[in-house]
Amino acid sequence: MTKLPPARILAIETSCDETAAAVLETGRLLLSSTVASQMEVHARYGGVYPEVASRQHVLAIVPVVEETLAKAHMTIGDMDAVAATRGPGLAGSLVVGLNMAKGLALGAGLPLVGVNHLEGHIYAAWLYRPEDEPPPEPKFPLMALLVSGGHTELNLMESHLNYNRLGATLDDAAGEAFDKVARLLGLPYPGGPSVEAAAEKGDPAAFKFPRAWLEGTDNFSFSGLKTAVLKEVKRLETSGTPLPVADLAASFQAAVVEVLFEKTMKAARAYGVKDIVIGGGVSANTPLREAFMGQKGFRVHIPPLRYCTDNAAMVAAAGYYRFALGHTDGMEIDVLPTWPLS
Ligand code: KG4
Ligand code: ZN
């Protein structure tokens, strides 16, 4: 493959409830990254309140960008391009980050790069900081498991920016299932980390929850599992038994992890790929990470926890490859709240 040119990217991410910016050097080396979380604001509603998210982005975006450039000891004049998440996500949130990026690019005469949030999650596996030992670079062809709050997909990548979607969820995303089950169990928002914490003291074999294997396809389904947990909760409540929250959480989590792990490995073997990349908020889940670690004959790339949930470093990484491979955008681009990866 031809060597890609060096370039510094300022990236902005505002697709949901994090206002984030990052400065990245040549696709991998992260010079600075800032994530302003709105989690506390939304926690009282039990989920992200879109109108509130948009207003919070407006308040945070300028200080977050200024802080990010200052931490890198740089100005906008030191950048080669400005990238921003264009979609998928909440329209009122995306528009704040994309317009900030447009203003910066126009003012500084820099190219603008619109990035798909989902490709960002995959490219999180490329990142490292100056103080870190660079992790091995993922090699193509690779199998990318993308597990976030809104998406669950298996993509076969033969080269940069080339996404061949083999399968996806037919109903709930894995993160969505964690969030819904957390609510059923009375655990606080955000659901994934709450379920994981509750599960630590539970027995993953306490309840035999169903696994939707969807044999012969690379698709997923988690709504049946969620309904099985709901039924069990109702049964226990009717019988007056106090809810064994830890056991329910652990048994649910084990079912999700087993399906994600087994189906990804099966697809990797079927397509003869040796590199596996995992990204998205659910890739922060410890049992999921542990399931993939130490797989003989495969190189598994899972980003550090700070790059699993939403951040702008991952958008900068994907933005770099878009920029370096000539995929820049004009000022007329708009947000795409629904923007499939492939
Ligand atoms: O990628 P992300 O931050 O935002 C989206 O692009 O959707 O993913 C958020 C999702 C939420 O559903 C959240 O519950 C889940 O990731 N999540 C987790 C964990 N941390 C976040 N799920 C399971 N275990 C975790 N530790
Ligand atoms: Zn995300």
Side-chain angles (χ1 to χ4, degrees), residues 13 15-18 88 117-118 121 146-151 173-180 182 189-197 252-253 256 279-289 305 307-311 314:
E13 152 68 38
S15 66
C16 191
D17 61 341
E18 323 279 354
H117 181 82
L118 307 177
H121 275 306
L146 168 67
V147 271
S148 69
H151 296 81
E176 191 180 354
F178 269 96
D179 295 335
K180 287 178 176 170
Y189 166 87
S194 306
V195 170
E196 180 178 341
F252 159 78
Q253 180 176 254
V256 176
V282 182
S283 66
N285 185 267
T286 310
L288 181 69
R289 300 167 77 88
L305 290 184
Y307 310 134
C308 290
T309 47
D310 291 349
N311 64 84
M314 67 186 203

Side-chain angles (χ1 to χ4, degrees), residues 177-187 195 207-211 222-237 243-245 247-256:
F178 269 96
D179 295 335
K180 287 178 176 170
V181 164
R183 228 169 284 158
L184 284 178
L185 299 180
L187 297 169
V195 170
F207 296 92
K208 299 262 167 296
F209 288 135
R211 274 85 167 140
F222 296 105
S223 81
L225 170 60
K226 174 196 65 191
T227 307
V229 177
L230 172 67
K231 278 192 181 151
E232 195 58 42
V233 167
K234 287 228 165 101
R235 191 186 65 79
L236 290 162
E237 280 174 350
L243 274 192
V245 172
D247 284 348
L248 287 163
S251 302
F252 159 78
Q253 180 176 254
V256 176

Side-chain angles (χ1 to χ4, degrees), residues 61-238:
I61 190 71
V62 171
V64 162
V65 169
E66 282 177 347
E67 183 187 328
T68 306
L69 285 168
K71 283 193 295 197
H73 305 291
M74 287 179 190
T75 68
I76 188 73
D78 296 308
M79 301 298 124
D80 296 294
V82 182
T85 303
R86 197 182 168 193
L90 300 170
S93 291
L94 290 164
V95 83
V96 177
L98 184 63
N99 281 320
M100 179 75 181
K102 281 186 183 180
L104 287 166
L106 198 61
L110 294 173
L112 175 70
V113 185
V115 172
N116 185 306
H117 181 82
L118 307 177
E119 71 184 339
H121 275 306
I122 294 173
Y123 275 92
W126 270 255
L127 297 165
Y128 66 91
R129 300 174 301 185
E131 64 266 38
D132 299 329
E133 178 73 21
E137 186 170 354
K139 295 266 179 292
F140 300 106
L142 63 81
M143 191 61 66
L145 172 68
L146 168 67
V147 271
S148 69
H151 296 81
T152 298
E153 293 190 3
L154 263 179
N155 281 275
L156 175 65
M157 290 180 71
E158 309 263 12
S159 60
H160 279 299
L161 309 179
N162 174 316
Y163 312 101
N164 176 14
R165 190 167 68 176
L166 303 175
T169 182
L170 302 179
D171 38 59
D172 291 352
E176 191 180 354
F178 269 96
D179 295 335
K180 287 178 176 170
V181 164
R183 228 169 284 158
L184 284 178
L185 299 180
L187 297 169
Y189 166 87
S194 306
V195 170
E196 180 178 341
E200 269 172 37
K201 293 183 206 74
D203 174 6
F207 296 92
K208 299 262 167 296
F209 288 135
R211 274 85 167 140
W213 293 112
L214 307 183
E215 291 292 352
T217 79
D218 293 309
N219 289 327
F220 300 90
S221 165
F222 296 105
S223 81
L225 170 60
K226 174 196 65 191
T227 307
V229 177
L230 172 67
K231 278 192 181 151
E232 195 58 42
V233 167
K234 287 228 165 101
R235 191 186 65 79
L236 290 162
E237 280 174 350
T238 315

